[in-house]
Amino acid sequence: MSGANARAKDTGRKGDPPPPPEPLDIEIIDSHCHLDLMDAIPAEAVAAARAVGIRRMVTVGVDLATSRWQAAVAAEFPDVYAAVAIHPNEAARGVDEATFAELTTLARLPQVRAVGETGLDYFRTPPEQHAAQQESFRRHISIAKETGRPLMIHDREAHDDTLRILAEEGAPATVVFHAFSGDAEMAKACAAAGYVMSFAGNVTFKNAEQLRAAAAVAPRELLLVETDAPFLTPMPFRGRPNGPYLAPLTLRAIAEVRAEAVDELAATVAATAERVFGPW
């Protein structure tokens, strides 16, 4: 497994990978990436991340095949955990019972530490498919509670329904909003519910004022940092291939927005990641 990835499509990233940033003094975790979609093989991605202070990462499935792949990679690399789920854009076409059953089995594996990414995406899904997405989201909530795993949420232009369904179903003990996409008011609502907010490289984009406002008001103990690699590459490298090794750029951007010391924020983010995903 270490010599291969499962890249299945053109991710739209162009150009060479950006150069490595200045290493962090305190190691943190990339809380969400897709090692299967990267050009680098997993061993290279892990080594590049470790060299700049990203010691660990969570690699995330979007369907049954990629969920199996993430679980296999996480079993091979001690510094990698996996998350398994059917992405809402995949779930819009419906999910059969056998798939939910296998996801539940995968979620029980020791190296699988989250059920995700699941949730709602109204940006890419037409209204007539929202019901299928919502039903899948409810089933994933149930799987997370049944297996005792954190729930990793993809929420795009669906804030109200995402929060409503979590309330209706009863949220798992730990909820993470991956690539948080809300404004300051959404961040306050998540904080009131105790939900963790994971910020990606898009917080650095020029038009992302609302994301920076959200990052500024979110409680420090509810913050995580992710890459969503190979997507959401932080500035000044937007559009080029992302990797876990670029997470320091996002951490430093968030520290600047919050007027906090990078090392202090890194220490809290690292502790939160261990609280969410468990000790390595």
Side-chain angles (χ1 to χ4, degrees):
M1 180 65 70
S2 60
N5 64 22
R7 183 169 183 167
K9 63 179 181 179
D10 180 0
T11 64
R13 307 303 97 182
K14 304 300 180 185
D16 294 329
E22 180 183 350
L24 296 172
D25 292 327
I26 294 178
E27 293 179 337
I28 66 167
I29 296 167
D30 178 0
S31 70
H32 189 113
C33 65
H34 301 275
L35 290 178
D36 56 309
L37 294 177
M38 293 176 58
D39 286 327
I41 62 173
E44 293 172 350
V46 170
R50 183 177 297 174
V52 297
I54 309 301
R55 177 59 186 272
R56 301 178 172 113
M57 62 200 68
V58 181
T59 186
V60 180
V62 298
D63 56 21
L64 198 52
T66 57
S67 293
R68 292 170 182 147
W69 191 93
Q70 317 300 353
V73 165
E76 181 176 358
F77 292 92
D79 288 333
V80 177
Y81 276 159
V84 299
I86 309 301
H87 189 286
N89 289 332
E90 300 291 330
R93 296 187 290 271
V95 184
D96 60 37
E97 288 300 318
T99 296
F100 286 127
E102 184 169 348
L103 285 176
T104 304
T105 299
L106 287 171
R108 295 186 191 281
L109 294 173
Q111 72 273 23
V112 175
R113 294 301 178 97
V115 172
E117 60 186 284
T118 181
L120 304 175
D121 188 323
Y122 292 173
F123 178 75
R124 296 192 183 280
T125 303
E128 60 269 23
Q129 292 183 318
H130 289 181
Q133 277 195 352
Q134 292 180 17
E135 175 57 26
S136 174
F137 184 30
R138 293 178 191 275
R139 294 296 299 273
H140 281 84
I141 292 171
S142 177
I143 292 170
K145 292 194 288 189
E146 180 181 343
T147 59
R149 299 301 192 223
L151 184 72
M152 184 180 285
I153 291 177
H154 173 108
D155 160 36
R156 190 169 187 188
E157 298 189 5
H159 304 325
D160 290 346
D161 280 354
T162 300
L163 293 174
R164 174 181 60 81
I165 290 171
L166 282 170
E168 289 175 355
E169 294 296 317
T174 304
V175 172
V176 178
F177 275 75
H178 126 75
F180 185 82
S181 62
D183 58 12
E185 291 306 309
M186 177 66 176
K188 291 175 183 177
C190 287
Y195 300 154
V196 177
M197 291 159 270
S198 182
F199 286 85
N202 54 339
V203 75
T204 70
F205 294 176
K206 293 179 180 179
N207 62 348
E209 289 85 359
Q210 71 167 17
L211 282 183
R212 287 187 284 275
V217 303
R220 188 199 291 180
E221 68 275 9
L222 293 178
L223 282 176
L224 289 175
V225 173
E226 66 172 85
T227 60
D228 199 22
F231 310 106
L232 298 182
T233 312
M235 295 292 287
F237 306 111
R238 183 177 182 178
R240 290 167 65 178
N242 201 1
Y245 76 99
L246 293 176
L249 297 177
T250 300
L251 178 78
R252 291 187 172 109
I254 294 171
E256 181 176 357
V257 164
R258 295 173 62 86
E260 294 180 357
V262 171
D263 286 357
E264 291 179 5
L265 181 60
T268 303
V269 166
T272 299
E274 197 147 314
R275 173 172 61 83
V276 169
F277 300 112
W280 258 257

